[in-house]
C-alpha cells in the first residue's frame, strides 16, 4: 500500500512509542538490580553489585531455573506430539466434530488460568491421589502441556494449509513408504512451524504462575513460584530483579537461535 | 513465610473445622471444643539414637540450609552433629500442611495457630514429651500450654516464635501520633485514601478487637468467636473503613514500598516491616495501640505416625535451641520463643525491638485462631461465624 | 513398516483414530473431565462444623452468588477491565503490527519480532512489580503525568502492558500473510490508502484481532495477581475464586464463582467462532 510520507512517519513514531512502552519497565528492572535500596526506592540513592553476587550464590534460584526448564521441555515435548497429531487429523481428514476440535484445543488457554488450575488440582487429588501419585513435576508438566497444545496446533495447522498435499502424494507415487514420506517430505515442511509452536509453548510454560500454583506439589519450585516466594521478602526482592534481568538477556538466545534455524517465520509464530 | 502467614492463619480456619470431624458424628462427647475427643496417642518415652533422616514440613524460611544465603544456615550443623539428614518440604498454606501430615510421610511440622488444633483433633500429631527437649525449659512461659498448642494441659509441640500486628504511621504526616486503632476507623480521618489494612479475612478480628474495647454492649469475649450480631458489627465497621483505604496489603515488600513512597501513611503492620522501612530511611513508627492487637504464633509438632521420631525430637530441640531459634527469628523478623536466643542474635537489640521478653506486651495480643462454627470462646448457646463466612464477608467488605 | 503404512493408507479411518485418540483422551477425559468435576462440585456445600465437602445437590452457592450484590459488581468490573485491556491492546498493536509487517524494511522485521517477543521471557511478576514502582507516589509516572496512582486504571494499564505481545503477534502474522502485491493492485486500481485499508487490510485484520482478543480478554479475566500489586483496594473475579479456595477451603463456592468467567469465555469463544476467527489463530 502506498502510504504518504506523514503516514509512514506516524507509524514509525507509534512503533517507537510502543517499544518504549514495552522496554521502560524492563529497563527499570535492570536498573533496580543495581539499586542499593531493598524495596526499590525511586530514584535509586546508591548503586551496588551485591544483589548480583547474592543471586550468583543463590542455589534456590538456580534449582528453580532448572526445574522450570525441565517442566518447560516436558510440556513442550507433549504439546509438540499432541498438537501435531490434532493438526494432521483436522487438516487431512473430514470427520464429525472437526469444527469443535479447534475450540476444544483452545479452551485450556482461553479459560482463566485459575479455573484451569483448580479444575486440574481437584481432579488430580481425587483421581491420581487415590492411585498414590502425588503432585510434583509430573502434574506441572501435565498442566502446562494442556494449555501449550494450542500453540503447536495453530502453527502446524497453518503450515499444512499452506503447503497442501502435492509433495506427499508425489513422494508416495515415487514409492516412498509412509514413514519415508514423513521423514523426508512432511517433516522438513513443518519443521519451522514446529519450532515456532514449540518455542511459544516453552515460553508460555516458562512464565506460567497461576496454573502452576495449583498443580505444583509442595516440594517443586518453578522459577515463577520461586520469584513469587521471594519477591515478597524484602531481603530477597532485589535478587529477584537480578534473576529477571538475566532472564531477559538470556531469552534472546532461544529466540535468536530459532530465527537462525527456521528463518524469520519461527519467532513470529502465531499464538 | 511472612507473606504466607496471614493466609495461613486464616487457613487454619479449615483446620479447626476439621478438628471437629474426627469421625463424622460417631464421637462421644469429649474435652475438645463442642465435645470433641482428642485421639489417645502416646508420647515418646525416651530419646534414643537418631534414625539418620528427618522429614520436615515447614513454612518457607523456617528451615534454611544456606541455599538461599550462605550465611543463613541452621541445618547443616544439625545434620553433622546428629547424623539426621533433613528433608524439608515447604508448604504454602495450612491446608497443605495438614494434608501433608495426613500422608504419614513426615515427622515434624511447623504448624500455625490455625492448623495446630486441626492436627491435634485429627490424631495426626502426638503429644510431646517436653522432658526430652532440653531447650523447652528456656521457652517463654507465655507461649507454653496455650489454646493452640495444648489440650487439657498436655503440650503438643515446641513453640517457635511470635509477633503482633501493630499500627504503623508516617511521623511526618500523621500528627499527633495515634494511640488507638480508632485512627484507622475514624470516618473523618484526614488521611482518607492513604490508610492501609491487611488483606485477609482474618483482619475482621482486628475490627472485632476494636469493638470489644469500644462497644462493650456487643459482649465480644474473643475476636475469633463472633456470633451473628457481633460479626455484623465488625463487618459494618470494616465496610465503613473501606472508604478510607488506599490499598490493602498482603506482603511486606508491598507495604514497605507503599510507606516509603507515601502511598500509605497509616495502618496495620508487622514489626519487621517497620524495621525495614526505617532502615530504608522513611520516617515511620509502630505502636501497640491501647486496645491491644492481633498476632501470631507457630508451633513445631511431631507426627503421630513419625517414622523417625528420635530425629524428630532432635530437630525440635535443635530448632528451639538458642542459636537456631535466634537465626530463624532474625531471618524472619519475629520474637524468638527461647529466652536464651536473645543473647545469640546478630543484632544485640533484636529481642528488645521485637519485645521478645515483654510478657506484658504479649498479654495484650490475641493470637490468630481459626474461627469455627463452634465458638472458640466456649459459648455453646450460639453458632459462630466460621472462616468460610469470614471469607465471604471479606469479599463484600472490599466491594 | 511398509505394509503397515500401506494398510493404514487404505484405511483412513484407522489413521484418523490413531491421530486423534491420544490428544482427545488428554483434552476430553483429563481436561474436560476435570472441568466437569469442578462445575459439579459447585452444587455441593461445605459443612461449617466439619469442613468436609457435603456431596448433596444444592443451589445454595448460586443463590448466594446471585443474591449478593457484590458478586454482580465484581463480575461486571472484571468484564469491564478485560474489555478495556483488549481495546487498548488493539489500538496499540494494530499500528505497530502494520509497521512491522508492511513498512519496516524486510531485513529488520525479524528483529522487531524478537523485540516484541523478548519481554515475554521476563517474569510476569517482576514486570508487574516494576509497574508498581513506576506508578508509586512521586514515582516516574506520577512525576511525568501526575497519575494514575494505584487503582482500577492502573490495573487496566498494567494488564494491557503484560498482554500486548499476545495481540501484536497474531495481528502481525495476519498482515504478513497479506501479499504486498494485493495492496499494490488496490493502489493501481486507483484506491486511496483509506479505501485500500477498508477493503483489503481490514478483512485480514478483523479475524487476527479477534484471535488476539481471546488471549488478552481471557488472560485479563482470570488475573488475580496484578490487581493485588497495582490495584489499590480493587478486587476482581479471580481474587474471589482464589480467596475462597486458597484461604477458606471452600472449593464448592470457589467453583460456583469460577462458573462466571467460564460462562463468559464460552459465550465469547462461540461468538468469535461464528466470525471465523478461530481459523486465524
Amino acid at each position: 500500500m502506498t502510504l504518504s510520507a506523514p503516514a509512514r512517519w506516524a507509524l514509525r513514531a507509534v512503533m517507537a512509542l510502543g517499544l518504549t512502552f514495552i522496554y521502560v519497565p524492563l529497563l527499570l528492572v535492570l536498573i533496580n538490580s543495581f539499586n542499593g535500596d531493598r524495596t526499590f526506592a525511586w530514584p535509586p540513592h546508591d548503586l551496588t553489585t551485591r544483589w548480583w553476587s547474592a543471586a550468583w550464590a543463590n542455589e534456590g534460584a538456580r534449582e528453580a531455573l532448572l526445574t522450570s526448564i525441565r517442566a518447560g521441555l516436558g510440556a513442550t515435548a507433549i504439546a509438540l506430539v499432541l498438537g501435531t497429531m490434532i493438526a494432521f487429523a483436522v487438516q487431512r481428514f473430514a470427520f464429525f466434530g472437526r469444527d469443535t476440535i479447534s475450540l476444544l484445543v483452545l479452551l485450556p488457554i482461553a479459560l482463566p488460568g485459575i479455573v484451569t488450575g483448580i479444575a486440574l488440582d481437584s481432579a488430580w487429588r481425587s483421581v491420581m491421589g487415590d492411585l498414590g501419585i502425588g503432585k510434583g513435576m509430573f502434574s506441572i508438566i501435565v498442566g502446562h502441556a494442556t494449555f501449550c497444545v494450542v500453540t503447536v496446533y495453530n502453527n502446524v495447522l497453518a503450515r499444512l494449509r499452506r503447503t497442501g498435499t502435492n509433495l506427499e502424494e508425489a513422494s508416495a507415487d515415487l514409492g516412498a513408504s509412509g514413514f519415508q514420506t514423513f521423514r523426508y517430505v512432511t517433516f522438513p515442511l513443518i519443521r519451522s512451524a514446529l519450532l515456532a509452536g514449540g518455542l511459544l509453548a516453552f515460553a508460555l510454560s516458562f512464565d506460567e504462575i497461576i496454573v502452576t500454583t495449583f498443580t505444583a506439589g509442595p516440594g517443586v519450585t518453578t522459577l515463577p513460584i520461586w520469584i513469587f516466594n521471594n519477591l515478597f521478602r524484602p531481603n530477597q526482592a532485589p535478587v529477584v530483579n537480578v534473576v529477571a534481568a538475566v532472564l531477559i538477556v538470556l531469552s534472546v538466545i532461544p529466540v535468536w537461535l530459532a530465527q537462525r534455524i527456521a528463518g524469520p517465520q519461527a519467532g513470529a509464530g502465531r499464538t | 513465610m511472612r507473606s504466607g502467614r496471614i493466609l495461613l492463619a486464616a487457613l487454619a480456619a479449615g483446620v479447626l473445622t476439621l478438628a471437629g470431624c474426627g469421625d463424622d458424628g460417631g464421637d462421644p462427647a469429649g474435652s475438645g471444643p463442642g465435645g470433641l475427643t482428642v485421639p489417645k496417642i502416646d508420647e515418646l518415652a525416651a530419646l534414643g539414637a537418631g534414625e539418620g533422616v528427618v522429614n520436615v514440613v515447614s513454612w518457607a524460611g523456617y528451615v534454611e540450609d544456606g541455599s538461599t544465603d550462605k550465611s543463613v544456615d541452621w541445618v547443616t550443623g544439625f545434620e553433622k552433629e546428629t547424623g539426621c539428614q533433613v528433608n524439608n518440604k515447604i508448604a504454602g498454606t495450612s491446608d497443605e500442611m495438614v494434608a501433608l501430615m495426613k500422608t504419614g510421610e513426615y515427622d515434624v511440622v511447623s504448624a500455625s495457630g490455625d492448623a495446630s488444633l486441626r492436627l491435634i483433633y485429627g490424631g495426626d500429631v502426638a503429644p510431646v514429651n517436653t522432658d526430652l527437649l532440653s531447650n523447652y525449659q528456656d521457652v517463654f512461659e507465655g507461649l507454653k500450654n496455650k489454646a493452640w498448642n495444648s489440650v487439657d494441659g498436655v503440650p503438643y509441640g515446641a513453640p517457635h516464635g511470635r509477633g503482633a500486628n501493630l499500627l504503623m504511621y508516617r511521623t511526618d504526616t500523621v500528627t499527633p501520633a495515634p494511640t488507638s486503632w480508632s485512627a484507622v476507623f475514624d470516618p473523618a480521618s484526614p488521611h482518607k485514601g492513604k490508610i492501609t489494612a491487611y488483606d485477609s479475612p482474618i483482619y475482621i478480628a482486628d475490627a472485632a478487637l476494636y469493638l470489644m474495647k469500644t462497644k462493650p454492649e456487643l459482649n465480644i469475649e474473643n475476636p475469633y468467636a463472633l456470633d451473628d450480631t457481633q460479626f455484623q458489627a465488625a463487618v459494618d465497621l470494616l465496610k465503613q473503613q473501606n472508604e478510607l483505604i488506599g490499598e490493602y496489603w498482603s506482603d511486606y515488600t508491598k507495604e514497605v514500598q507503599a510507606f516509603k513512597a507515601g502511598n500509605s501513611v497509616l495502618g496495620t503492620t508487622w514489626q519487621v516491616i517497620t524495621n525495614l522501612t526505617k532502615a530504608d530511611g522513611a520516617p515511620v513508627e509502630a505502636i501497640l495501640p491501647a486496645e491491644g492487637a492481633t498476632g501470631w504464633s507457630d508451633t513445631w509438632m511431631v507426627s503421630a505416625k513419625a517414622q523417625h521420631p528420635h530425629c524428630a525430637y532432635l530437630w525440635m530441640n535443635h530448632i528451639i535451641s538458642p542459636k537456631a531459634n535466634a537465626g530463624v527469628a532474625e531471618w524472619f523478623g519475629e520474637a524468638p520463643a527461647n529466652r536464651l536466643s536473645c543473647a545469640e542474635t546478630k543484632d544485640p537489640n533484636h529481642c528488645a525491638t521485637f519485645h521478645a521478653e515483654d510478657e506484658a506486651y504479649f498479654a495484650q495480643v490475641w493470637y490468630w485462631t481459626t474461627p469455627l462454627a463452634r465458638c472458640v470462646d466456649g459459648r455453646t448457646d450460639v453458632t459462630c461465624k466460621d472462616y468460610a463466612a469470614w471469607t465471604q464477608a471479606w469479599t463484600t467488605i472490599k466491594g | 513398516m511398509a505394509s503397515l503404512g500401506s494398510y493404514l493408507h487404505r484405511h483412513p479411518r484407522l489413521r484418523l483414530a490413531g491421530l486423534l485418540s491420544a490428544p482427545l483422551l488428554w483434552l476430553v477425559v483429563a481436561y474436560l473431565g476435570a472441568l466437569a468435576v469442578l462445575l459439579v462440585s459447585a452444587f455441593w456445600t461445605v459443612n461449617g462444623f466439619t469442613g468436609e465437602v457435603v456431596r448433596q445437590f444444592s443451589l445454595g452457592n448460586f443463590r448466594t452468588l446471585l443474591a449478593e450484590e457484590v458478586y454482580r459488581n465484581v463480575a461486571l468490573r472484571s468484564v469491564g477491565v478485560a474489555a478495556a485491556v483488549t481495546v487498548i491492546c488493539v489500538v496499540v498493536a494494530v499500528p505497530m503490527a502494520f509497521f512491522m509487517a508492511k513498512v519496516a524494511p524486510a531485513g529488520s522485521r525479524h528483529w522487531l519480532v524478537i523485540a516484541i517477543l523478548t519481554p515475554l521471557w521476563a517474569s510476569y511478576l517482576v514486570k508487574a512489580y516494576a509497574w508498581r514502582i513506576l506508578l508509586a507516589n512521586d514515582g516516574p509516572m506520577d512525576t511525568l503525568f501526575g497519575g494514575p496512582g494505584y487503582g482500577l486504571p492502573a490495573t487496566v494499564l498494567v494488564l494491557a502492558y503484560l498482554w500486548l505481545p499476545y495481540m501484536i503477534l497474531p495481528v502481525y502474522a495476519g498482515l504478513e500473510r497479506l501479499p504486498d502485491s494485493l495492496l499494490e493492485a488496490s493502489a493501481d486500481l486507483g484506491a486511496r490508502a483509506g479505501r485500500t485499508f477498508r477493503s483489503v487490510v481490514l478483512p485480514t485484520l478483523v479475524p487476527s484481532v479477534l484471535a488476539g482478543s481471546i488471549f488478552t480478554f481471557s488472560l485479563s479475566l482470570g488475573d488475580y495477581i496484578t490487581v493485588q500489586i497495582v490495584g489499590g483496594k480493587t478486587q476482581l473475579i479471580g481474587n474471589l475464586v482464589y480467596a475462597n479456595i486458597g484461604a477458606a477451603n471452600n472449593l464448592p463456592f470457589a467453583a460456583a464463582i469460577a462458573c462466571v468467567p467460564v460462562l463468559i469465555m464460552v459465550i465469547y469463544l462461540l461468538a468469535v467462532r461464528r466470525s471465523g476467527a478461530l481459523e486465524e489463530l
Side-chain angles (χ1 to χ4, degrees):
Chain A
M1 170 156 63
T2 36
L3 284 170
S4 60
R8 284 172 175 274
W9 278 107
L11 280 172
R12 209 162 280 156
V14 171
M15 188 73 202
L17 272 178
L19 285 176
T20 313
F21 176 58
I22 289 176
Y23 277 93
V24 162
L26 297 185
L27 192 67
L28 183 74
V29 170
L30 194 64
I31 295 172
N32 268 337
S33 70
F34 294 101
N35 189 339
D37 190 285
R38 276 171 302 196
T39 46
F40 331 129
W42 191 261
H45 42 74
D46 59 341
L47 297 177
T48 171
T49 54
R50 69 189 159 123
W51 310 126
W52 282 78
S53 46
W56 183 250
N58 193 311
E59 278 174 42
R62 271 205 301 270
E63 271 170 37
L65 178 64
L66 285 178
T67 305
S68 272
I69 290 175
R70 273 200 296 269
L73 290 178
T76 306
I78 294 174
L80 282 173
V81 173
L82 296 185
T84 310
M85 288 167 92
I86 306 177
F88 268 90
V90 166
Q91 178 59 19
R92 298 285 161 84
F93 296 91
F95 56 92
F96 175 75
R98 194 174 72 162
D99 293 343
T100 316
I101 295 251
S102 59
L103 208 56
L104 182 64
V105 173
L106 189 61
L107 210 54
I109 201 158
L111 292 187
I114 191 161
V115 175
T116 301
I118 59 176
L120 289 174
D121 173 46
S122 59
W124 191 282
R125 275 199 237 184
S126 50
V127 180
M128 303 300 264
D130 289 349
L131 298 175
I133 305 173
K135 291 195 293 178
M137 180 57 104
F138 184 52
S139 57
I140 296 182
I141 291 178
V142 168
H144 287 190
T146 306
F147 63 76
C148 285
V149 170
V150 68
T151 65
V152 177
Y153 165 78
N154 285 333
N155 277 280
V156 175
L157 186 67
R159 180 61 47 86
L160 290 177
R161 281 210 184 108
R162 263 200 254 185
T163 54
T165 56
N166 290 349
L167 284 173
E168 287 164 36
E169 279 159 16
S171 164
D173 290 347
L174 290 170
S177 72
F179 176 76
Q180 284 170 321
T181 301
F182 183 82
R183 169 75 184 79
Y184 295 108
V185 179
T186 317
F187 180 72
L189 279 176
I190 63 167
R191 189 175 53 197
S192 66
L194 285 175
L195 200 65
L199 197 67
L200 262 171
F202 187 81
L204 274 180
S205 159
F206 194 75
D207 194 28
E208 214 293 328
I209 178 150
I210 296 179
V211 174
T212 318
T213 303
F214 291 97
T215 54
V220 187
T221 309
T222 63
L223 197 62
I225 293 193
W226 181 87
I227 289 174
F228 189 82
N229 288 341
N230 283 277
L231 189 54
F232 305 133
R233 290 158 51 176
N235 290 318
Q236 291 294 320
V239 177
V240 171
N241 270 334
V242 177
V243 173
V246 170
L247 283 183
I248 298 170
V249 175
L250 287 184
S251 70
V252 176
I253 297 172
V255 181
W256 180 77
L257 269 181
Q259 298 260 347
R260 284 296 297 258
I261 297 169
Q265 294 292 336
R270 273 147 255 151
T271 42
Chain B
M1 162 79 230
R2 265 322 156 198
S3 58
R5 170 149 249 129
I6 318 154
L7 246 194
L8 301 176
L11 285 175
V15 178
L16 289 179
T17 48
L18 254 190
C21 78
D23 192 20
D24 275 28
D27 288 341
S31 60
L36 285 173
T37 313
V38 185
K40 174 125 185 62
I41 295 160
D42 292 329
E43 57 183 37
L44 192 67
L47 199 52
E51 297 88 349
V53 175
V54 60
N55 294 327
V56 182
V57 178
S58 73
W59 295 121
Y62 271 26
V63 180
E64 289 289 340
D65 60 1
S67 64
T68 307
D69 184 329
K70 283 228 182 318
S71 65
V72 180
D73 180 1
W74 47 87
V75 170
T76 313
F78 168 78
E79 289 177 331
K80 281 204 188 108
E81 198 180 301
T82 62
C84 299
Q85 190 207 326
V86 178
N87 296 325
N88 183 38
K89 193 134 187 153
I90 292 174
T93 65
S94 280
D95 281 338
E96 208 168 271
M97 277 191 174
V98 174
L100 286 171
M101 289 309 284
K102 283 199 181 299
T103 66
E105 289 166 22
Y106 297 91
D107 303 307
V108 277
V109 58
S110 64
S112 288
D114 50 349
S116 50
L117 283 185
R118 194 153 54 148
L119 290 167
I120 294 174
Y121 284 100
D124 300 312
V125 292
V128 170
N129 185 346
T130 54
D131 294 342
L132 304 182
L133 302 176
S134 58
N135 291 312
Y136 190 76
Q137 58 180 353
D138 301 318
V139 170
F140 291 110
E141 290 305 322
L143 285 171
K144 288 181 186 170
N145 284 325
K146 292 295 165 186
W148 64 89
N149 62 18
S150 70
V151 172
D152 295 339
V154 179
Y156 273 80
H160 172 90
R162 55 182 165 176
N165 301 318
L166 305 171
L167 175 60
M168 178 156 79
Y169 60 97
R170 293 247 331 188
T171 51
D172 56 346
T173 40
V174 183
T175 48
T179 55
S180 153
W181 286 114
S182 63
V184 297
F185 293 116
D186 176 11
S189 172
H191 308 294
K192 185 171 175 176
K194 303 209 161 189
I195 291 175
T196 188
Y198 189 57
D199 189 2
S200 160
I202 205 74
Y203 183 69
I204 294 172
D206 286 53
L209 177 71
Y210 176 70
L211 291 173
M212 185 162 102
K213 301 293 160 114
T214 53
K215 289 245 168 76
E217 65 273 21
L218 286 167
N219 289 321
I220 297 175
E221 295 284 322
N222 178 326
Y224 303 98
L226 305 176
D227 63 30
D228 289 356
T229 328
Q230 297 164 340
F231 187 71
Q232 198 52 50
V235 170
D236 289 343
L237 178 63
L238 290 171
K239 278 187 180 161
Q240 181 193 313
Q241 187 202 31
N242 181 262
E243 302 291 316
L244 309 172
I245 297 286
E247 69 176 5
Y248 293 94
W249 65 276
S250 50
D251 63 76
Y252 51 46
T253 309
K254 181 173 170 180
E255 165 131 296
V256 171
Q257 188 261 337
F259 268 86
K260 272 190 337 201
N263 285 75
S264 300
V265 298
L266 184 65
T268 49
T269 190
W270 293 318
Q271 186 68 53
V272 63
I273 295 177
T274 310
N275 298 350
L276 286 161
T277 316
K278 274 188 191 171
D280 285 342
V284 296
E285 276 307 331
I287 55 154
L288 184 69
E291 295 88 358
T294 56
W296 77 87
S297 170
D298 291 349
T299 306
W300 285 97
M301 306 182 117
V302 63
S303 169
K305 291 160 260 177
Q307 281 148 25
H308 315 99
H310 299 291
C311 272
Y313 268 72
L314 290 170
W315 170 259
M316 282 201 292
N317 196 38
H318 170 72
I319 198 68
I320 62 165
S321 68
K323 237 190 162 70
N325 198 226
V328 182
E330 277 200 298
W331 179 242
F332 275 108
E334 61 186 355
N338 188 318
R339 66 165 63 83
L340 302 181
S341 299
C342 294
E344 299 286 344
T345 50
K346 281 178 219 157
D347 169 7
N349 295 321
H350 181 85
C351 278
T353 316
F354 286 84
H355 303 272
E357 297 160 300
D358 190 349
E359 290 299 339
Y361 177 91
F362 279 109
Q364 302 174 63
V365 173
W366 288 89
Y367 296 100
W368 276 337
T369 309
T370 303
L372 299 178
R374 269 174 244 278
C375 302
V376 293
D377 62 357
R379 279 184 293 172
T380 49
D381 53 334
V382 287
T383 304
C384 283
K385 290 291 187 181
D386 65 5
Y387 197 68
W390 283 45
T391 307
Q392 293 188 3
W394 188 242
T395 298
T396 58
I397 288 164
K398 287 172 77 184
Chain C
M1 193 75 219
S3 64
L4 178 68
S6 55
Y7 179 79
L8 282 175
H9 189 72
R10 275 177 276 116
H11 296 82
R13 289 281 125 189
L14 264 183
R15 271 191 294 161
L16 179 62
L19 281 176
L20 273 181
S21 54
L24 283 190
L25 200 69
W26 187 293
L27 287 171
V28 175
V29 178
Y31 184 68
L32 285 188
L35 266 185
V37 170
L38 181 73
L39 297 187
V40 167
S41 72
F43 293 100
W44 297 340
T45 49
V46 167
N47 183 315
F49 284 96
T50 61
E52 298 264 290
V53 171
V54 180
R55 301 191 175 196
Q56 208 167 36
F57 183 83
S58 146
L59 287 172
N61 290 328
F62 290 98
R63 223 173 280 135
T64 313
L65 211 53
L66 292 175
E68 294 267 0
E69 204 191 343
V70 63
Y71 296 104
R72 202 162 45 240
N73 291 344
V74 173
L76 288 175
R77 185 185 304 142
S78 305
V79 172
V81 166
V85 168
T86 304
V87 169
I88 292 178
C89 283
V90 172
V91 170
V92 179
V94 168
M96 285 180 77
F98 191 84
F99 176 84
M100 288 163 64
K102 297 293 164 207
V103 181
S108 68
R109 275 176 203 173
H110 72 267
W111 290 110
L112 288 173
V113 172
I114 291 183
I116 301 298
L117 275 172
T118 305
L120 287 182
W121 296 78
S123 163
Y124 155 98
L125 283 166
V126 172
K127 283 183 285 186
Y129 233 94
W131 272 101
R132 185 172 165 84
I133 314 297
L134 286 172
L135 291 163
N137 238 13
D138 293 330
M141 290 289 282
D142 199 22
T143 319
L144 284 175
F145 307 104
Y150 304 139
L152 206 53
T155 310
V156 172
L157 174 70
V158 175
L159 288 173
Y161 172 80
L162 289 169
W163 312 138
L164 182 62
Y166 292 93
M167 180 62 83
I168 296 182
L169 290 176
V171 175
Y172 167 77
L175 288 173
E176 203 215 4
R177 260 175 307 177
L178 186 69
D180 287 344
S181 55
L182 215 58
L183 302 175
E184 280 156 21
S186 170
D188 291 347
L189 292 170
R192 287 167 187 276
R195 177 69 204 271
T196 305
F197 186 81
R198 268 200 313 281
S199 311
V200 183
V201 181
L202 212 55
T204 315
L205 211 51
V206 169
S208 306
V209 164
L210 283 175
S213 75
I214 292 175
F215 290 92
T216 56
F217 193 84
S218 76
L219 289 169
S220 308
L221 198 60
D223 188 88
Y224 64 95
I225 297 177
T226 297
V227 64
Q228 279 181 350
I229 297 177
V230 297
K233 57 181 174 179
T234 313
Q235 59 182 348
L236 297 179
I237 205 148
N239 301 83
L240 303 193
V241 178
Y242 186 76
N244 278 287
I245 187 177
N249 201 23
N250 191 345
L251 180 66
F253 192 62
I257 303 176
C259 287
V260 177
V262 169
L263 201 65
I264 294 170
M265 273 323 291
V266 168
I267 293 171
Y268 192 81
L269 284 180
L270 290 175
V272 170
R273 187 166 76 147
R274 280 179 67 97
S275 77
L278 290 189
E279 305 277 302
E280 290 297 322
L281 274 177

